[in-house]
Amino acid sequence: MMSYDALLTYLRTTEALGQVAGRLGWDQETVMPEGAADQRAEEIAALEEVIHARRTAPAFADLLAGANPVDDVQRAMVARAQRGFDRSSRIPAELAAEAARVNAISQHRWIAARKAGDLAGFLPTLQQVVALQVAQAQALADGGDAYDALLDGYEPGMSAARLTAIFSALRPGLVDLRAAIAEKPPAPHLNGHFDEAQQMALSQELALAFGYDLSRGRIDKAVHPFSSGSGADVRITTRTDAADPFNCFYSTIHEVGHATYEQNIRADFALTPLGEGVSMGVHESQSRIYENQLARSPAFAGWLFGQMRDMFGDFGISDAGTFARAVNRVAPGFIRTEADEVHYNLHIMMRFDLERALIAGDLAVADLEEAWNTRFAADFGLTVPNPVMGVLQDVHWPAGLFGYFPTYALGNIYAGCLHQALRADLPDLDDALAAGNPAPALDWLRGKVQQHGGLYAPADLITRAAGFAPTEAPLLAYLQQKFGALYGI
Amino acid sequence: MMSYDALLTYLRTTEALGQVAGRLGWDQETVMPEGAADQRAEEIAALEEVIHARRTAPAFADLLAGANPVDDVQRAMVARAQRGFDRSSRIPAELAAEAARVNAISQHRWIAARKAGDLAGFLPTLQQVVALQVAQAQALADGGDAYDALLDGYEPGMSAARLTAIFSALRPGLVDLRAAIAEKPPAPHLNGHFDEAQQMALSQELALAFGYDLSRGRIDKAVHPFSSGSGADVRITTRTDAADPFNCFYSTIHEVGHATYEQNIRADFALTPLGEGVSMGVHESQSRIYENQLARSPAFAGWLFGQMRDMFGDFGISDAGTFARAVNRVAPGFIRTEADEVHYNLHIMMRFDLERALIAGDLAVADLEEAWNTRFAADFGLTVPNPVMGVLQDVHWPAGLFGYFPTYALGNIYAGCLHQALRADLPDLDDALAAGNPAPALDWLRGKVQQHGGLYAPADLITRAAGFAPTEAPLLAYLQQKFGALYGI
């Protein structure tokens, strides 16, 4: 076998096992019997052990060294595979296994702690998680910055210094915009009971309109909406709330953004390291541009208003303009996942600062709640009433996902860049959106971003697609324009 | 680590991966998007490659050699693991991979061939499958009997010679019983439209009555009913037909027999080689005794009659005796899976003879259809109208499962033995069955058979449970008694 082909064969097996692990995750969240949890943990650990062994095997190192790539795709493939080998190899197997074990236990305890509202009982576990994250970060950083080493796992090439600069430039504009909106009358809520089966029916229509290929995917209900899998098997989940159909519709569209990114990657990249989204930030850029810049646009909201009137009858809103404000309601709140576009990035900036301090050792886990609540009061003007509304709300830290949060904001920032560029290329896009048809924008994103999978580094990919290096400016301009118009600022 | 513990740790990882493979199979048959088939094949191949490597690894051989078992459980564990190592190691990895690849392709082509009724186009593929089975059988047999080597993979310790003796003893009684029944008026069919959602509701009730633990399992609809998984995650599927509710109810109870066997194995055997049913024959004995000796007993049928009358109203049968005959309708037919208790084993005997001839090289694949049809006319007095009703009906040969068929008949024979013994121990069982309560029989089976998992060899297990070595006589006596009474013979 040619040396490159031999590497590819090895990689395909490893990636196929990675897909299997993803499927187990889907199964666990959607269909697994409740009594199977402990056995499943052991099954996942066995699979992860095998995958980790393949990712750090001397035979793999030999294949990488002898690959001799001859074109850009082959070079990108080898580079991405080498990167995976390097990162996996730097962490001692015992440390990786211990961290996986503790993170799994911690997630379970977090669920119980959230149910009981008991932060104090959970802190010792979180302390263990943080300590193991620090140990892994130091092993990865090899003398460099520990937090950057974690961040690099989710957003290759990004650094805390660069994020700090971007966030510092973004924050004042967000704060000013929020203040201006706060002076205006608040947007209305929907009023009514929205049949959940009908919500699921409309959410499937929305998924199809946003390009989701159901022959290579499926939609199920789960407690948390998510997308999983790559290539020919990319599944999403959503949820319904009889009082709040937007939760279902916009969760679905968000997950379709993730899922179509995976579905639209070049078929010849399937089951290779290039066959999945290149970074968490770019992934989030797709889900957010689908959800926000496209589906929450006044044009598309106008179409959705008609659909919802037809399906649900009267729900207390009589015109499309008011409906668009309801879709884009701005209000401070405690929960990140429920935050509007203006507040969302402020939640992320706070988490970014706190988790850097935790990893640097500048903030003790014991002091985290006080730090969180103090910062929250300063940033949002609200007093956190209990830890469930505060530091216990997100699974990320309990699951050992440090360095992940900022990629959400980065996704918004990338989405802002892509949106500016695609609007310039598609001057009539609002006409299509007003007819419930986002296809022109989807085609643009597929061609410029999605099809490439892991071929280009994240910032390079956005630069190629948008025509300029990513900055926060387009996102801010978009928010000011959109919310200025909606709220008469 | 103690040497035995080190072996057990290794085995647990391998068995956990085996459970993952089983889950992929479940997923494929129930929820997988249709467009994911090719990718799934690659995922399964990757997992099987990893599992096969673990089952034949020199490190595994070392662990086996150094295990030093100190009690009966440890000795059984090591022996069963050693058996797995020996069988896996005898087949060259390239041959195993090639057979797996061809079997997968063959299954796909068989589905298409069945749809098109095209046997001729499928025969070259089947020829490949048979050739690879022969090659594997010879590698396994190492000079011994090739067919026995395949059979041993499904029923450890069994031989074609022993089966031939059992089947020869069983056949005349079945043929005589069939002839006697044929002289009597035929049993009626049900007449009506049976709501499929209500069928699913009653089938879940039946599953629970037969001891299925839904906290460690789930019931879904699929084209083919099956049970999959071991330990804490054992799932079953069933199907519905608006005209034939028995199909749903008895398929469900059959699969619950398989599933509860897995669920009732001692918890300390979970994720070890002893933590699953000991053989296909013993597995089938559980599904068949649940379905036939218990759920098709006149006593239980009487209870089911009342349930169905309450649920579905009138369906053209006015008394419990007639209903019991409908449940136990005897008629020759082309399809094995639809066969009654009297005809079923005759289907198996025919397949057993044909597949032995194929493996021995005494029957060419090109001559298989003629051999099938000639034998079928002789055994059943019916002319096979097309290959879909004949040689194309079962997945087993297209999937490379040679040596599997006789375990179905063996399951019936074991069930006959167990049933005779449990009736002797539970003289009032019919009173419980007439109240819809099979629990006394289930408890007996759990204690005598199911809890032991792979601890005892199949024949040894049945001998311990029944109190005598397995023979065909109890099955025949049971059939003669039951059908004699039902048909007034």
Side-chain angles (χ1 to χ4, degrees), chain A residues 12-14 16-17 19-20 23-24 26-27 30-37 39-40 42-44 46-47 49-50 54 214-218 220 230-235 270-271, chain B residues 12-14 16-17 19-20 23-24 26-27 30-37 39-40 42-44 46-47 49-50 54 214-218 220 230-235 270-271:
Chain A
R12 287 184 73 90
T13 297
T14 311
L17 295 171
Q19 288 299 307
V20 173
R23 212 79 63 227
L24 285 186
W26 175 87
D27 186 277
T30 55
V31 295
M32 187 182 81
E34 61 179 53
Q39 180 170 315
R40 174 58 54 88
E42 200 161 344
E43 291 166 8
I44 288 176
L47 193 54
E49 177 185 327
V50 164
R54 289 186 66 85
L214 267 173
S215 79
R216 298 184 292 142
R218 54 179 290 131
D220 294 273
S230 297
D233 195 346
V234 187
R235 306 179 184 184
L271 294 180
Chain B
R12 286 184 74 90
T13 296
T14 311
L17 294 171
Q19 287 300 308
V20 173
R23 211 79 63 228
L24 285 185
W26 174 87
D27 186 278
T30 54
V31 295
M32 187 183 79
E34 61 180 54
Q39 179 171 317
R40 174 57 56 89
E42 199 161 342
E43 291 166 6
I44 289 176
L47 194 54
E49 178 186 327
V50 164
R54 290 185 65 87
L214 269 173
S215 78
R216 297 184 294 143
R218 53 180 289 130
D220 293 272
S230 297
D233 195 348
V234 186
R235 305 178 185 186
L271 294 181

Side-chain angles (χ1 to χ4, degrees), chain B residues 114-351:
Chain B
R114 227 164 77 120
K115 211 172 271 177
D118 174 22
L119 176 62
F122 179 64
L123 286 182
T125 304
L126 186 58
Q127 175 56 59
Q128 281 185 283
V129 171
V130 171
L132 287 162
Q133 284 293 306
V134 170
Q136 289 183 97
Q138 288 169 347
L140 284 167
D142 198 20
D145 184 80
Y147 183 83
D148 279 356
L150 296 176
L151 176 60
D152 186 69
Y154 306 106
E155 196 66 22
M158 186 48 63
S159 70
R162 173 81 189 115
L163 283 173
T164 302
I166 295 173
F167 290 169
S168 300
L170 181 58
R171 172 183 288 277
L174 294 179
V175 170
D176 290 349
L177 180 58
R178 174 176 62 177
I181 294 170
E183 289 176 16
K184 301 290 178 179
H189 285 287
L190 305 192
N191 262 314
H193 177 93
F194 301 85
D195 179 78
E196 295 180 58
Q198 285 186 300
Q199 287 188 40
M200 288 301 288
L202 181 49
S203 87
Q204 176 164 325
E205 268 186 63
L206 289 166
L208 294 172
F210 275 87
Y212 187 47
D213 178 358
L214 269 173
S215 78
R216 297 184 294 143
R218 53 180 289 130
I219 307 174
D220 293 272
K221 283 171 85 163
V223 176
H224 303 288
F226 65 92
S227 165
S228 75
S230 297
D233 195 348
V234 186
R235 305 178 185 186
I236 65 169
T237 64
T238 189
R239 57 184 168 198
T240 57
D241 174 340
D244 178 14
F246 288 157
N247 193 319
C248 175
F249 300 152
Y250 285 98
S251 292
T252 300
I253 294 168
H254 180 98
E255 299 310 330
V256 164
H258 285 302
T260 55
Y261 182 11
E262 295 292 336
Q263 289 187 326
N264 289 337
I265 295 171
R266 303 167 42 166
D268 60 322
F269 285 0
L271 294 181
T272 78
L274 301 187
E276 52 189 34
V278 71
S279 74
M280 293 298 117
V282 175
H283 237 299
E284 193 73 4
S285 77
Q286 301 305 293
S287 59
R288 297 295 276 184
I289 200 169
Y290 277 48
E291 176 190 359
N292 290 331
Q293 280 88 350
L294 299 176
R296 284 198 173 93
S297 66
F300 190 82
W303 175 82
L304 181 61
F305 179 57
Q307 297 295 307
M308 287 183 59
R309 288 276 292 224
D310 290 349
M311 182 168 269
F312 300 113
D314 180 45
F315 41 83
I317 290 180
S318 57
D319 66 284
T322 309
F323 184 83
R325 277 194 296 283
V327 163
N328 289 287
R329 201 170 181 281
V330 177
F334 296 102
I335 305 299
R336 172 186 60 85
T337 57
E338 298 170 2
D340 56 72
E341 285 183 84
V342 178
H343 282 96
Y344 190 90
N345 293 310
L346 297 174
H347 286 272
I348 297 301
M349 291 176 197
M350 176 179 135
R351 286 160 177 75

Side-chain angles (χ1 to χ4, degrees), chain A residues 76-209:
Chain A
M77 188 75 77
V78 173
R80 208 164 153 87
Q82 182 75 52
R83 182 188 133 81
F85 175 82
D86 292 343
R87 283 189 64 89
S88 300
S89 305
R90 281 198 201 113
I91 299 178
E94 299 72 27
L95 176 57
E98 175 68 359
R101 193 184 67 78
V102 168
N103 291 345
I105 293 168
S106 169
Q107 275 188 72
H108 268 276
R109 292 193 183 153
W110 167 73
I111 291 168
R114 227 163 76 121
K115 210 171 272 177
D118 174 23
L119 176 62
F122 179 63
L123 286 183
T125 304
L126 186 58
Q127 175 57 57
Q128 282 185 283
V129 170
V130 171
L132 287 162
Q133 284 293 307
V134 169
Q136 289 184 97
Q138 287 169 347
L140 285 167
D142 198 21
D145 184 80
Y147 184 82
D148 279 355
L150 296 176
L151 176 61
D152 186 70
Y154 306 105
E155 196 67 21
M158 186 49 62
S159 70
R162 173 83 188 113
L163 283 173
T164 302
I166 295 174
F167 291 168
S168 299
L170 181 58
R171 172 184 288 278
L174 295 179
V175 170
D176 289 350
L177 180 56
R178 173 177 63 178
I181 294 170
E183 288 176 16
K184 302 289 176 179
H189 286 288
L190 305 192
N191 261 315
H193 177 93
F194 302 85
D195 178 79
E196 294 179 57
Q198 286 186 298
Q199 288 188 40
M200 287 302 287
L202 182 48
S203 87
Q204 177 164 324
E205 268 186 61
L206 290 166
L208 294 172

